[in-house]
């Protein structure tokens, strides 16, 4: 069976990382994640991520690099994460989220991340501190 990929973005701007609070489904509502979503069949991950971030946040972004790793979600789905640069627009919670926060490199522990996002968030925070 081929696993379906959920792509998510560690979105950077001004030395901070964007965190998004999920509004649905009920079991995930209130938890924080790196925004993203399911790839469409045949879609390149970088293209799918730019599309999801446009739909969910109303922004244009540039995908920078993959954060190494692949994290299991529900059966048949895996999470993969890329660092992303904000190119234009101010993120707004248009779909799936009800709050957004920009976190400095030492603030990334301030929100309750979904477990599956934590390794990538830790690496994203480490990369932020290096710059
Ligand atoms: O918007 P779309 O239906 O394409 O995807 P989604 O509902 O945002 O995400 C699909 C699944 O991936 C959900 O079950 C989320 O829990 C999971 N996900 C995650 O665990 N961590 C993320 N950073 C993004 C999505």
């Amino acid at each position: 069976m081929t696993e379906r990929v959920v792509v998510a973005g560690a979105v950077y701007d001004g030395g901070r990382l964007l965190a998004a609070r999920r509004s649905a489904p009920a079991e995930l509502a209130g938890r924080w994640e790196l925004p993203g979503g399911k790839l469409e069949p045949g879609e390149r991950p970088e293209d799918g991520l730019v599309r999801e971030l446009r739909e969910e946040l109303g922004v244009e972004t540039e995908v920078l690099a993959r954060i190494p790793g692949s994290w299991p979600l529900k059966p048949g789905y895996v999470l993969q994460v890329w660092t992303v640069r904000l190119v234009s627009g101010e993120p707004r919670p248009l779909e799936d989220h009800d709050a957004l926060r920009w976190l400095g490199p030492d603030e990334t522990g301030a929100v309750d991340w979904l477990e599956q996002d934590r390794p990538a968030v830790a690496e994203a925070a480490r990369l932020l501190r290096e710059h």
Side-chain angles (χ1 to χ4, degrees), residues 4 6-9 22 24-25 28 32-40 51-52 55-56 73-74 77 79 81 95-97 114 116-117:
R4 274 197 78 178
V6 174
V7 291
R22 287 196 71 103
L28 302 179
W32 293 77
E33 69 175 10
L34 299 170
K38 299 182 198 82
L39 272 190
E40 302 291 349
R51 173 184 57 72
E52 285 285 345
E55 290 171 4
E56 294 191 354
L73 302 172
K74 59 192 168 189
Y77 289 85
L79 174 68
V81 179
E95 243 181 36
D96 297 344
H97 304 114
L114 292 172
Q116 56 268 27
D117 283 46

Side-chain angles (χ1 to χ4, degrees), residues 73-85:
L73 302 172
K74 59 192 168 189
Y77 289 85
V78 292
L79 174 68
Q80 297 181 356
V81 179
W82 278 257
T83 55
V84 171
R85 182 176 75 83

Side-chain angles (χ1 to χ4, degrees), residues 21-77:
R21 191 172 68 190
R22 287 196 71 103
S23 51
E27 63 273 19
L28 302 179
R31 307 288 301 281
W32 293 77
E33 69 175 10
L34 299 170
K38 299 182 198 82
L39 272 190
E40 302 291 349
E43 193 176 34
R44 287 174 60 234
E46 291 84 350
D47 295 338
L49 184 52
V50 167
R51 173 184 57 72
E52 285 285 345
L53 296 174
R54 186 182 295 134
E55 290 171 4
E56 294 191 354
L57 305 171
V59 293
E60 294 305 320
T61 55
E62 179 193 3
V63 176
L64 300 174
R66 174 97 179 263
I67 292 184
S70 200
W71 296 278
L73 302 172
K74 59 192 168 189
Y77 289 85

